[in-house]
Amino acid sequence: WQGSGHYDTRHLLPREADLRARYARVLTLLHSEAALGPQGRFYDLMYANPDGPCFDGFRTYVWLRQHGRELLLLAAHFADEARDRTEVRIPAHAFSFWQIPQLPAATATDLLTGETLALPLKPDTPLVFSLPARGGRIWKFTLPETGE
């Protein structure tokens, strides 16, 4: 797919083109989303989400990234099968540590697909969403300014 110093995507198989498009999207997000950059803060959510019927702790990894009013919930799913229902909990410690406001229904946008959902931002309350096979989600919340 490379010739004469140029890349020609016309010769890629459909699965190769899909993988290339996904990587390009992730690399673009690394440059456009401050929470994913070096100034973003990290919070591991695995300890608050034990393996069970609504969370596959062996094949799914979840964490938060935050910068300013931007909060990202990331989920990487390494299984060959999609999950129609995954429940992720954000522990109370994350809310107090990062001073995240509690919201009964916050709009979240998946930066990988553009899908939007209303998800609760409350300690230990499950955020429910699907996960694609061998894929993931990057849910972006824009938090209200202090005093809103």
Side-chain angles (χ1 to χ4, degrees), residues 131-145:
L131 283 171
R134 289 173 272 130
R137 299 285 202 161
I138 303 176
W139 294 108
K140 180 179 181 175
F141 299 87
T142 301
L143 303 174
E145 291 185 34

Side-chain angles (χ1 to χ4, degrees), residues 69-71 73 106-108 119 121 127 139-143:
R69 293 176 46 218
E70 183 178 299
L71 178 69
L73 167 64
T107 300
L119 296 171
L121 271 182
L127 289 81
W139 294 108
K140 180 179 181 175
F141 299 87
T142 301
L143 303 174

